[in-house]
Amino acid sequence: MLRRLLAVAAVLVLVGCEANAAVTVDVAEDGSGTVTAVVDIDGEAVARLGGMDAVDVVGLEDAGWTVAEPKVTDVGNLRLRASKAYPRPDALQGVLEEITGPDGPLRDVQADVIDTFGGTRYELAGRMVTDGALTQFSDETVAAALDGLPLGRTDEQLAAELAAEPGSLTLELKVNLPGELMTSNGDAKQVTAGDEAGGERPRVVWRRARTGAPGDTAVTATTQSSSGRARQLVVAGGVLVLIAAALL
């Protein structure tokens, strides 16, 4: 699964190369959406590990993922990209766990849709958890290829190498939400919507560099989408108040 791509990225870090992983969640107005995972790894490092044969993406399409053809970026990195849709808010976490596993760095993530008088509120909540090692990204297949050790290192060796190379492996969570941004504890900006309606929508980004220290950070964001019907009722109510005042 995609977790193996992240495991390959982690192994590349441990042979002296940088790797970046980004997970983007695009939330639709009904709470469904799409998860897209992008892993950028050093092209020379891929060659050192045996070329594209070291990057196992077999089974991704069978699991419902749409896998793009690997491409080389402007800076010479190899970019791997895969995406998968989820049908409702409570299915989001399950798709994320296909990327990093149930004990991975993205946990309890859900984007709830709440109807209000004025429109619709979208509430994102979750956690980015780092346990101080890269073993979160490994699985049985990767470990078997590396002498039975997750990523081919002991816990002590992993912690020491991470401490010596801070920022060599980064993970980003990007969430695109409908409506207007109300609150968040991440970095927010406006991006162009990817649907037919176009326009702009809020994007909130959380970025964590893997280090030797454990951490558990909450991620939260709230947006509000106003209802045209609610605005009409407010205007109508104001007109009635003015009429009543005139009559009095």
Side-chain angles (χ1 to χ4, degrees):
M1 297 304 294
L2 274 179
R3 186 153 52 123
R4 295 180 191 171
L5 298 184
L6 298 178
V8 171
V11 172
L12 293 175
V13 169
L14 299 178
V15 296
C17 304
E18 293 187 358
N20 300 292
V23 177
T24 301
V25 180
D26 198 40
V27 181
E29 292 184 352
D30 63 355
S32 64
T34 303
V35 173
T36 302
V38 178
V39 180
D40 279 3
I41 49 184
D42 186 284
E44 293 183 5
V46 175
R48 288 166 57 186
L49 287 182
M52 284 301 298
D53 291 339
V55 183
D56 183 10
V57 296
V58 175
L60 282 176
E61 293 181 344
D62 292 340
W65 289 85
T66 300
V67 183
E69 193 72 23
K71 62 179 292 187
V72 178
T73 67
D74 294 339
V75 296
N77 290 339
L78 180 67
R79 174 165 294 173
L80 306 168
R81 178 188 180 96
S83 60
K84 183 175 182 178
Y86 62 92
R88 58 189 185 278
D90 60 2
L92 170 57
Q93 179 61 31
V95 174
L96 291 175
E97 288 180 2
E98 293 182 19
I99 300 173
T100 59
D103 297 324
L106 301 178
R107 304 184 194 179
D108 307 324
V109 180
Q110 186 163 332
D112 291 317
V113 181
I114 302 170
D115 291 328
T116 65
F117 173 76
T120 306
R121 187 169 71 250
Y122 300 88
E123 294 183 351
L124 176 88
R127 298 157 57 209
M128 294 186 74
V129 180
T130 54
D131 62 5
L134 294 174
T135 54
Q136 292 170 300
F137 294 126
S138 191
D139 64 7
E140 294 81 1
T141 302
V142 174
L146 297 171
D147 299 325
L149 292 173
L151 308 182
R153 302 289 197 280
T154 65
D155 291 343
E156 292 76 12
Q157 289 173 328
L158 287 170
E161 293 186 48
L162 282 170
E165 296 289 339
S168 55
L169 175 62
T170 59
L171 174 64
E172 283 186 328
L173 173 62
K174 307 176 183 179
V175 180
N176 303 328
L177 292 162
E180 297 181 1
L181 184 66
M182 306 298 289
T183 62
S184 79
N185 66 346
D187 296 325
K189 65 178 182 178
Q190 293 291 110
V191 297
T192 302
D195 53 24
E196 296 180 355
E200 292 189 337
R201 63 189 328 198
R203 166 177 286 180
V204 185
V205 180
W206 296 266
R207 187 176 189 271
R208 296 291 179 272
R210 298 311 308 271
T211 66
D216 190 335
T217 304
V219 297
T220 62
T222 301
T223 62
Q224 180 77 31
S225 179
S226 299
S227 168
R229 177 63 176 169
R231 288 194 296 268
Q232 292 173 0
L233 291 174
V234 170
V235 172
V239 171
L240 290 174
V241 169
L242 292 175
I243 293 174
L247 292 175
L248 290 174

